[in-house]
Amino acid sequence: MVTRINPSILAADFANLEREFGRIGTADLAHVDVMDNHFVPNLTLGLPIVERLLQVSPIPLDLHLMIDDPDRWAPAYAEAGAFSVTFHAEAAADAVGLARRLRSIGARAGLALKPGTPVEPYLDLLVEFDQVLVMTVEPGFGGQSFMPATMPKLTLLAERVRASGLDVWLQVDGGITEDTIVQAAQAGANTFVAGSSVFNGDPAERINALRAAAEAHSHTH
Ligand code: DX5
Ligand code: ZN
């Protein structure tokens, strides 16, 4: 099984983003957190900055939209060239319709679930999505502690993905370290977002260590 490590630039130096992208070239995707101060109590960056990041990044961009009304705002990120656009189930009026629109534009469509949001309503809809993001912290801020209580959702998702034969990537985001990545990999995640644990050290070395820890414990089926 393929393991993907996606550094979150939320923990990077916002005054030197092009230089920071140069430090994560061995990662799979760069995770970009868009926050609107409404869906979450924090504000980061939006489309004009993402458009420039797409020009300078050596790896594809994985957009995580923590915003209200993604039905209105998300397609522009796909049109700009994001590899994947993940929106929150709690915020979308028509998650399936939005996912179809993102795919029609050429992006991978992702569905994100806050820690308290159950996964069951979405298990029969996996064919509509390219990835599901199980948040392992409350969205809004980096540097929080991993919530093990979210792991049963991954187990359910992994079982359903395996049974269906679909190639839906299972992503975790929040508090991922060399320790917690093991639990997430064992539960069935294959795509790991890490902010502070990558940028608080030498990013290339941290990416290698996270990948090795995940691969040692990933599902083998
Ligand atoms: C939090 C963001 C995460 C954040 C993770 O709402 O979605 O992507 O950057 O940061 P760490 O890895 O520090 O928990
Ligand atoms: Zn994120």
Side-chain angles (χ1 to χ4, degrees), residues 34 45-54 73-80:
V34 175
L45 49 83
L47 188 59
I49 292 179
V50 169
E51 286 172 341
R52 279 292 291 139
L53 298 181
L54 283 159
W73 301 111
Y77 292 90
E79 280 156 9

Side-chain angles (χ1 to χ4, degrees), residues 25 34-35 37 63 77 83 98 118 128 132 152 170 194 200:
V34 175
M35 305 187 191
N37 243 350
L63 268 287
Y77 292 90
F83 179 82
L98 179 53
E128 303 286 351
V132 178
L170 300 182
N200 288 354

Side-chain angles (χ1 to χ4, degrees), residues 35-201:
M35 305 187 191
D36 68 351
N37 243 350
H38 291 271
F39 182 72
V40 289
N42 196 7
L43 184 67
T44 53
L45 49 83
L47 188 59
I49 292 179
V50 169
E51 286 172 341
R52 279 292 291 139
L53 298 181
L54 283 159
Q55 292 171 352
V56 303
S57 178
I59 51 179
L61 297 193
D62 175 44
L63 268 287
H64 178 194
L65 305 182
M66 286 161 275
I67 62 173
D68 278 346
D69 202 2
D71 308 71
R72 175 177 177 186
W73 301 111
Y77 292 90
E79 280 156 9
F83 179 82
S84 50
V85 178
T86 297
F87 59 88
H88 269 268
E90 306 85 1
D94 176 13
V96 167
L98 179 53
R100 289 179 180 173
R101 187 145 166 235
L102 294 170
R103 282 175 158 181
S104 76
I105 297 167
R108 291 172 59 87
L111 183 74
L113 305 174
K114 290 164 67 169
T117 302
V119 71
E120 285 83 354
Y122 304 100
L123 291 175
D124 287 334
L125 299 174
L126 292 178
V127 69
E128 303 286 351
F129 299 96
D130 298 294
Q131 67 182 18
V132 178
L133 167 51
V134 174
M135 287 301 299
T136 44
V137 298
E138 287 297 339
F141 299 92
Q144 303 182 78
S145 296
F146 177 85
M147 297 168 65
T150 58
M151 292 298 96
K153 290 198 281 188
L154 271 175
T155 306
L156 277 177
L157 281 163
E159 284 170 5
R160 188 61 73 97
V161 167
R162 190 179 61 232
S164 67
L166 294 166
D167 183 24
V168 182
W169 297 0
L170 300 182
Q171 186 175 65
V172 285
D173 180 10
I176 297 297
T177 65
E178 264 176 79
D179 291 328
T180 59
I181 201 170
V182 171
Q183 293 174 61
Q186 285 172 337
N190 52 37
T191 307
F192 305 90
V193 176
S196 31
S197 71
V198 167
F199 285 99
N200 288 354

